[in-house]
Amino acid sequence: MSFYTITLAAGKGTRMKSKLPKVLHKVCGKPMLQLVIDSAKKAGSVRIIAIIGEGAEQVQQEISDVEFVIQKEQLGTGHAVLSAKDKFAESEGTVLILCGDTPLLTDELLKNFVDAHKNSTCAATVMTAKMTEPTGYGRVVREDDGTFKKIVEEKDADDETKKINEINAGVYCFDVQKLFGALPQVKNDNAQGEYYLPDVLPILKAAGETIGVFEAPYAEEIVGINNREQLAAANKSMRMRKERELMANGVTIEDPNMTFIDIDVEIGQDTIIKPNTYLEGKTKIGSNCVIGPDVRMVNMIVGDRVEVQYSYCHDAEISNNVTVGPYVHIRPGTKIQEKVKVGNFVEIKNSNIGKGTKLPHLQYIGDSDVGENVNIGCGTVTCNYDGKNKHRTKIEDNAFIGCNTNLVAPVTVGEGAYTAAGSTITKDVPKNNLAIARARQTNIDNWNDKRK
Ligand code: UD1
Ligand code: CA
């Protein structure tokens, strides 16, 4: 039961008061147009076309899995669909039409909707919903016998029509040839001077076709985003949906209202997410972890039994049985192996940290390769930048870096080697050596008495 999809995404989104095209505003970390496309794809659409116009270049850069058609002038939703006519000259069957600003639609709802249309003899089916607050939406006007009559936009509606609480979701199924046959007959004699897509429905009806009405079971799914307040509300609904899904799969979320998880994030069983935690982008967390409180992770790969608290970690990997925090910054390109301990005001950038190594307090480790079971003393700094270039530091297995060591890269500390506390290491330290690189202490006899 294949079908095509057209998503409408060319509009300015005036009510957003934004320089960013409306459909690129994000809901749970993803542009809303991408969410709509993903749902259509999951529902089984074989071909998806997005009609774009406002900020088209930017939209093309940020949106994937779709073919684009440019609507040069935004003359209304009907005009938008018409601009894809050539793409369907040879096509037969069903086309699903969606708006790029209804990001909460689920693939399940879309699939049920398309199935209902296909199992009917209707030339078109419109999705509707009963809203307690219908203001702003097109209202569904029915005939006395309950069948579809027409849709009236808010701006064209009289007071009686405005009282109707059944609204047009902006989601339709059409027989593709019948749609493009009738669409050129749509006129723009309305309050906004636009070619309204819903006006094609009474045209088909007048030609003797049947128009189906499919009421969505959950009105929450079909909300359209026209302003920032609706954007915030949609984010909240989507977040709650994502968190319900995770909890159903065995993740503990201590306070769902205080947890912010992007749509593509994966979390394993029996992991506990503590409050004020942000899990963003393509972050993937294993099982039996404790994440939070106060953690932000962006595009992180995290193994099993990892504990992270009060920290910011992005574009990096953490293996099993690692503890991180409090107050740690893990930066891009870092790979931390099993059983590593990173704690208390540590920053790690673009470095590999070997199994069992400890970085317990106040370190900066940048562009470094640290071996296994290394102990890095408090206050150690890799001096990786000479003002022009970045250089790597190598610390081999079982080395011991004394407190407050500066490692001036490029430099290697060999296997089992030690550096004395307070050393500034500028030359390689051979295996099992102790490097002392600091001024010898001088004690001045009775100095305080002499001072007086
Ligand atoms: C539209 C429907 C309304 C419905 C509501 C559901 C029309 C005329 N009205 O109203 O009945 O209740 O959606 O959310 O269809 N777009 C284009 N090209 C254009 C104009 C719009 O691509 O020339 C796109 C927009 O980018 C947007 C979508 O179509 O993604 C809907 O347009 P919008 O202006 O938001 O329509 P609504 O007033 O919300
Ligand atoms: Ca809208």
Side-chain angles (χ1 to χ4, degrees):
M1 297 267 274
S2 69
F3 62 95
Y4 311 110
T5 301
I6 299 176
T7 57
L8 306 183
K12 281 190 192 62
T14 317
R15 292 162 278 186
M16 291 296 281
K17 305 255 163 67
S18 177
K19 293 214 161 68
L20 189 71
K22 173 165 81 174
V23 294
L24 292 184
H25 282 266
K26 288 178 179 172
V27 171
C28 274
K30 236 186 208 183
M32 44 182 151
L33 175 58
Q34 192 67 57
L35 288 166
V36 171
I37 290 167
D38 292 354
S39 289
K41 199 175 174 185
K42 261 199 185 163
S45 182
V46 289
R47 186 178 185 194
I48 305 175
I49 286 172
I51 313 291
I52 57 171
E54 194 65 25
E57 267 178 40
Q58 206 180 348
V59 175
Q60 276 170 302
Q61 267 168 19
E62 292 189 33
I63 302 293
S64 52
D65 284 336
V66 70
E67 292 170 59
F68 296 102
V69 168
I70 309 271
Q71 182 196 16
K72 286 201 192 77
E73 267 184 300
Q74 284 77 55
L75 303 179
T77 48
H79 178 261
V81 173
L82 197 55
S83 53
K85 188 178 181 183
D86 292 349
K87 292 269 182 187
F88 292 96
E90 309 288 318
S91 306
E92 303 272 341
T94 299
V95 61
L96 168 70
I97 302 207
L98 304 167
C99 294
D101 65 350
T102 52
L104 297 176
L105 288 170
T106 59
D107 53 299
E108 198 187 336
L109 175 64
L110 293 180
K111 199 179 170 304
N112 291 342
F113 176 59
V114 174
D115 286 349
H117 170 78
K118 288 196 169 200
N119 291 329
S120 75
T121 53
C122 298
T125 306
V126 54
M127 189 189 288
T128 72
K130 298 255 170 63
M131 290 264 185
T132 40
E133 187 40 84
T135 310
Y137 291 96
R139 307 298 203 283
V140 180
V141 181
R142 298 208 186 217
E143 305 279 9
D144 293 339
D145 66 1
T147 56
F148 178 85
K149 185 174 181 188
K150 61 179 176 177
I151 284 163
V152 179
E153 293 303 305
E154 173 88 23
K155 285 183 177 144
D156 301 300
D158 57 26
D159 291 345
E160 254 339 273
T161 311
K162 279 183 186 157
K163 283 184 196 147
I164 297 173
N165 73 344
E166 187 181 15
I167 62 100
N168 169 23
V171 180
Y172 322 79
C173 273
F174 286 96
D175 174 281
V176 65
Q177 290 310 328
K178 287 176 181 167
L179 167 67
F180 287 110
L183 209 44
Q185 297 168 49
V186 169
K187 305 226 160 44
N188 65 348
D189 51 352
N190 51 53
Q192 304 187 80
E194 288 185 3
Y195 297 90
Y196 293 161
L197 176 62
D199 285 357
V200 80
L201 299 168
I203 291 170
L204 286 168
K205 190 177 166 167
E209 301 289 353
T210 318
I211 310 300
V213 178
F214 177 98
E215 194 187 322
Y218 312 107
E220 180 228 277
E221 277 194 40
I222 61 107
V223 293
I225 313 301
N226 297 320
N227 58 44
R228 307 265 183 168
E229 207 178 321
Q230 289 167 331
L231 180 67
N235 258 300
K236 175 133 200 185
S237 306
M238 193 65 132
R239 207 159 72 218
M240 291 303 147
R241 184 192 290 174
K242 174 75 183 175
E243 290 175 12
R244 277 197 299 273
E245 206 179 281
L246 289 166
M247 290 188 280
N249 288 328
V251 176
T252 292
I253 298 176
E254 287 187 354
D255 186 348
N257 285 312
M258 289 285 287
T259 307
F260 304 82
I261 303 179
D262 280 357
I263 201 77
D264 288 337
V265 170
E266 293 174 39
I267 306 178
Q269 201 180 27
D270 288 318
T271 284
I272 298 171
I273 308 296
K274 290 183 166 282
N276 210 22
T277 290
Y278 299 73
L279 303 174
E280 300 175 30
K282 295 190 161 56
T283 294
K284 200 175 167 185
I285 296 169
S287 52
N288 293 96
C289 296
V290 181
I291 308 296
D294 288 336
V295 167
R296 180 173 181 216
M297 288 193 177
V298 184
N299 300 324
M300 286 294 298
I301 308 285
V302 176
D304 301 330
R305 296 171 300 279
V306 171
E307 293 190 16
V308 184
Q309 55 178 319
Y310 304 100
S311 293
Y312 174 33
C313 312
H314 48 133
D315 300 287
E317 287 182 41
I318 298 176
S319 189
N320 301 334
N321 299 301
V322 169
T323 64
V324 175
Y327 312 109
V328 168
H329 187 183
I330 304 220
R331 293 173 51 198
T334 295
K335 271 192 181 170
I336 298 176
Q337 301 301 333
E338 285 179 39
K339 295 185 179 156
V340 167
K341 207 173 155 342
V342 184
N344 302 294
F345 306 98
V346 175
E347 175 176 345
I348 308 177
K349 185 211 87 173
N350 191 28
S351 295
N352 300 304
I353 311 295
K355 194 172 162 182
T357 285
K358 294 192 174 67
L359 294 103
H361 1 245
L362 298 156
Q363 285 101 1
Y364 171 63
I365 303 296
D367 303 305
S368 301
D369 299 296
V370 181
E372 296 185 1
N373 299 313
V374 170
N375 198 319
I376 301 189
C378 180
T380 295
V381 171
T382 55
C383 310
N384 58 323
Y385 185 48
D386 60 14
K388 264 193 191 149
N389 297 306
K390 304 272 169 71
H391 302 282
R392 290 197 81 83
T393 298
K394 192 167 185 205
I395 304 172
E396 294 181 348
D397 294 351
N398 305 310
F400 183 101
I401 308 299
C403 286
N404 241 7
T405 297
N406 299 310
L407 297 160
V408 182
V411 74
T412 298
V413 177
E415 197 182 324
Y418 278 59
T419 68
S423 291
T424 293
I425 303 295
T426 55
K427 290 188 295 196
D428 290 353
V429 184
K431 185 174 171 180
N432 291 329
N433 277 213
L434 166 67
I436 308 176
R438 63 185 185 215
R440 223 170 240 287
Q441 182 171 334
T442 315
N443 292 342
I444 302 172
D445 213 27
N446 287 323
W447 181 82
N448 199 13
D449 289 341
K450 285 180 211 157
R451 187 176 69 114
K452 290 172 194 156

